Amino acid sequence: MVKLRLKRCGKKQRALYRIVAIDVRSRREGRDLQKVGFYDPIKNQTYLNIPGVLYFLEKGAQPTETVFNIFKKAGVFTEFHFNQMKVN
């Protein structure tokens, strides 16, 4: 099973997080399948690769709670539901 979760990077006291698609059995710093964005909690800045995120959501990937909240603020789920309605 694949999850969309945060992967910590950056310096001490200056954390940045990559949003990655990763196998559930991997550790937090383990090998990821694809990088789909990043999140800077200090500047409250987010960059998302929307087509990459939608691809993994359509394949059944589950976002963690924090990543779900980031996606919700960015409006990813409105596009996801729009694409689902278009297909059906």
Side-chain angles (χ1 to χ4, degrees):
M1 183 174 161
V2 176
K3 277 205 176 249
L4 295 168
R5 65 181 176 192
L6 297 175
K7 186 175 184 179
R8 191 179 195 281
C9 55
K11 301 178 188 178
K12 280 194 288 186
Q13 304 296 318
R14 183 78 179 98
L16 291 172
Y17 296 93
R18 285 190 180 126
I19 301 170
V20 296
I22 194 166
D23 187 34
V24 174
R25 296 167 293 194
S26 298
R27 354 172 273 215
R28 181 185 73 177
E29 305 302 327
R31 188 173 185 180
D32 50 61
L33 301 172
Q34 183 178 357
K35 297 173 186 80
V36 293
F38 80 87
Y39 172 62
D40 184 354
I42 296 170
K43 294 181 182 177
N44 200 16
Q45 191 175 28
T46 305
Y47 168 78
L48 296 172
N49 175 5
I50 301 294
V53 170
L54 293 177
Y55 171 78
F56 281 105
L57 288 174
E58 288 169 0
K59 296 295 181 185
Q62 297 294 314
T64 60
E65 187 175 336
T66 307
V67 173
F68 180 84
N69 291 334
I70 291 170
F71 288 169
K72 198 163 135 185
K73 285 180 187 174
V76 170
F77 293 111
T78 56
E79 289 188 37
F80 178 64
H81 292 301
F82 179 72
N83 283 350
Q84 291 290 2
M85 291 175 62
K86 228 167 124 177
V87 171
N88 293 332

